[in-house]
Amino acid sequence: MALEQYQSDMETCCRCSACKFIPLEKVKGYQPVNICPSITYNDFHAYSGGGRMGIGVAILENRLEFTDKLLDVVYNCMTCGGCDISCKYAMDMEVLKPILETRIRCVENGYTLPALDRLVASLRTKGHMIPGTKTKRGDWMEGRVTKDYTTEKCEVIYHAGCRTCYNEDMWKVAQNTIDLLQKAGTDIGIAGDTESCCGGRAYQMGYKEDTVKQAEKNMAVYKKAGVKILVTGCADCYHAFKVLYDEYGLKGNLEVLHTTEYLARLLSEGKMKPGKTINMTVTYHDPCHLGRLGEPYIHWEGKQIPGHIRIFKPPKEFRRGTFGIYETPREILRSIPGINLVEMQRTKEYAWCCGAGGGVTESNPEFAAFIAGERVREAENTGAEAIATACPGCETGFGKSINENGSRLKVYDVIELLHAAVI
Ligand code: SF4
Ligand code: SF4
């Protein structure tokens, strides 16, 4: 949908600033209440969800030039959706979609950032978003033998994702996943060196056409292989396959599961058992694209009834983050003997972003580091020894922040902890 299709949403913005905070009804006492990293860091209304609604309308009305300052506002946003979910606590309007469409409009008009162009150039020529890497995509396998879904029929496949394949520190997550799946007897297929990017991060950066091309390319491979279930451990990939591919009408009947969902299924079927004790107090960080943005896409066709209040026929259902994946990773952690799970103050729908979204890690690393640092401090305040998450982007950002700031915390993927308890 183009920016024009969200004009009514953007014009509904009443500048109440609720998108900057978690809903006050959810505040239990003295605690951090900011939800939007962009307004927190930049402290000027334009950098909030509401500010970006005004900018979107002004672009449609040709009242704004694509100046460097405008691009600074447009690109210094994590596309984390915190604003969208906070706004929808009271309002029936889209906030994140027009923010993303504004980026798409900038890219369509050639107003891009060199750092992001570089990533997308790598996607177009090499099929991944990690320019300059010397690693081959399948190096993480280190001799593990599985089916190859690019040459064989395969019902269940594992997509590792660029951020895991090209970061040696993250290989352990993919390796642990395969070890657990094989221990449970899953006939899993992977593509090794020929796996291709999901395209999800390109969409977050505004390069929608590249995302659609990746979706078409990947779905053709999956259809040929007879894939029924795609499992991934990356929140961005999960969101792309489950939500974006569905929005584009390309997902078909493919079932998309995060590794925590698939492994929880195997645990409930008794195909593996976390028998080893890990004595550790752990807090869990909800990745934005697995949590509030990970709920299914809702297809809707209809029209808005003219009038001063927005009423739709048929009634329109809004995605409010309620059906994101929150409990499954927590259930896995609770199933491990010895793990004491404690919660941060901003969780689930209202979790603070890790800082790895929207291409900001590459275009403004200081901003990304500020966001990760704030979350690490929040995790420290729980008294936990470790922060567990379920996305390589979050784990990498937290790991960097912990090292740079001398935090006592350790960081793990939930799968690493499960692996240690099972194998
Ligand atoms: S986007 Fe929503 S929450 Fe933010 S100022 Fe506008 S109406 Fe209020
Ligand atoms: S998507 Fe995230 S960073 Fe961007 S305006 Fe909304 S809350 Fe702020």
Side-chain angles (χ1 to χ4, degrees):
M1 293 231 278
L3 186 60
E4 283 77 2
Q5 286 165 286
Y6 294 103
Q7 182 153 3
S8 164
D9 295 84
M10 294 187 288
E11 287 174 346
T12 301
C13 173
C14 59
R15 298 197 64 159
C16 65
S17 287
C19 51
K20 298 169 186 170
F21 311 104
I22 64 175
L24 291 181
E25 290 81 352
K26 302 283 177 192
V27 178
K28 298 182 186 79
Y30 186 75
Q31 66 167 90
V33 293
N34 289 11
I35 187 76
C36 171
S38 187
I39 186 73
T40 305
Y41 189 68
N42 295 288
D43 202 18
F44 188 72
H45 183 70
Y47 289 86
S48 67
R52 291 180 167 94
M53 297 302 94
I55 287 169
V57 172
I59 288 174
L60 288 181
E61 294 175 350
N62 293 318
R63 288 190 282 110
L64 273 183
E65 303 280 324
F66 289 94
T67 60
D68 286 348
K69 188 64 199 170
L70 179 67
L71 297 187
D72 191 69
V73 175
V74 167
Y75 287 106
N76 276 307
C77 162
M78 320 311 295
T79 68
C80 68
C83 54
D84 187 85
I85 302 304
S86 276
C87 176
K88 286 172 178 166
Y89 190 76
M91 302 284 278
D92 282 350
M93 60 176 276
E94 299 294 348
V95 181
L96 181 59
K97 290 303 268 181
I99 287 176
L100 288 159
E101 288 294 342
T102 302
R103 275 196 181 191
I104 292 166
R105 181 60 56 95
C106 286
V107 170
E108 284 169 353
N109 287 284
Y111 298 104
T112 58
L113 300 184
L116 305 189
D117 284 342
R118 198 163 156 258
L119 298 183
V120 176
S122 167
L123 175 65
R124 289 172 186 165
T125 54
K126 301 191 177 80
H128 65 70
M129 298 280 280
I130 317 288
T133 182
K134 298 271 185 295
T135 309
K136 283 206 314 203
R137 194 165 183 113
D139 283 353
W140 65 267
M141 290 171 63
E142 290 185 344
R144 284 165 180 79
V145 179
T146 69
K147 270 186 176 173
D148 177 351
Y149 67 76
T150 62
T151 55
E152 299 168 76
K153 290 279 176 197
C154 219
E155 291 197 356
V156 186
I157 64 167
Y158 172 66
H159 176 91
C162 303
R163 277 174 157 164
T164 299
C165 294
Y166 297 107
N167 179 352
E168 217 166 318
D169 292 341
M170 290 300 113
W171 288 2
K172 58 191 173 179
V173 181
Q175 291 166 350
N176 289 174
T177 302
I178 296 301
D179 293 348
L180 285 166
L181 290 171
Q182 290 186 330
K183 185 174 175 69
T186 305
D187 192 15
I188 193 83
I190 62 168
D193 289 340
T194 50
E195 182 185 281
S196 193
C197 176
C198 65
R201 292 190 69 228
Y203 172 75
Q204 293 173 28
M205 297 171 197
Y207 300 79
K208 182 183 169 185
E209 285 309 312
D210 290 278
T211 308
V212 174
K213 279 185 194 152
Q214 286 302 119
E216 288 169 344
K217 187 168 133 186
N218 284 328
M219 286 310 300
V221 174
Y222 304 156
K223 274 184 191 144
K224 193 166 165 221
V227 176
K228 291 188 174 154
I229 300 176
L230 181 148
V231 181
T232 182
C234 171
D236 285 326
C237 301
Y238 177 81
H239 173 264
F241 290 125
K242 180 176 166 181
V243 182
L244 294 178
Y245 284 26
D246 193 10
E247 180 179 345
Y248 304 152
L250 294 168
K251 189 166 84 70
N253 293 325
L254 181 70
E255 186 179 11
V256 178
L257 296 172
H258 188 263
T259 43
T260 54
E261 292 181 284
Y262 195 72
L263 291 170
R265 197 180 277 185
L266 298 176
L267 281 167
S268 70
E269 289 168 359
K271 291 188 175 159
M272 65 174 86
K273 191 169 163 30
K276 297 179 191 161
T277 300
I278 302 175
N279 286 316
M280 194 188 294
T281 299
V282 174
T283 189
Y284 175 71
H285 166 80
D286 294 279
C288 305
H289 285 81
L290 178 64
R292 59 181 165 243
L293 301 177
E295 65 181 26
Y297 184 75
I298 301 172
H299 292 270
W300 178 82
E301 268 185 48
K303 59 180 183 183
Q304 188 179 333
I305 309 294
H308 72 290
I309 293 176
R310 282 174 18 113
I311 296 174
F312 300 93
K313 195 174 176 185
K316 188 172 178 182
E317 201 181 328
F318 287 83
R319 296 172 72 239
R320 298 178 201 272
T322 310
F323 302 106
I325 307 304
Y326 305 117
E327 279 310 316
T328 309
R330 288 175 168 82
E331 278 164 17
I332 290 183
L333 290 171
R334 284 191 206 102
S335 76
I336 300 172
I339 292 244
N340 173 33
L341 180 63
V342 292
E343 292 288 353
M344 287 183 270
Q345 287 168 314
R346 291 174 290 187
T347 59
K348 302 182 181 177
E349 288 94 332
Y350 305 110
W352 177 258
C353 173
C354 74
V360 176
T361 318
E362 290 83 2
S363 66
N364 191 347
E366 293 81 14
F367 178 26
F370 162 81
I371 301 166
E374 167 135 350
R375 192 59 161 167
V376 167
R377 274 192 302 282
E378 190 175 349
E380 283 172 339
N381 288 342
T382 64
E385 299 159 81
I387 181 166
T389 187
C391 177
C394 306
E395 186 173 353
T396 303
F398 292 147
K400 200 160 174 272
S401 177
I402 286 165
N403 287 339
E404 286 173 0
N405 298 307
S407 168
R408 60 173 169 74
L409 278 184
K410 295 197 178 333
V411 59
Y412 298 103
D413 192 287
V414 172
I415 301 306
E416 290 174 71
L417 296 171
L418 181 64
H419 183 269
V422 169
I423 293 182

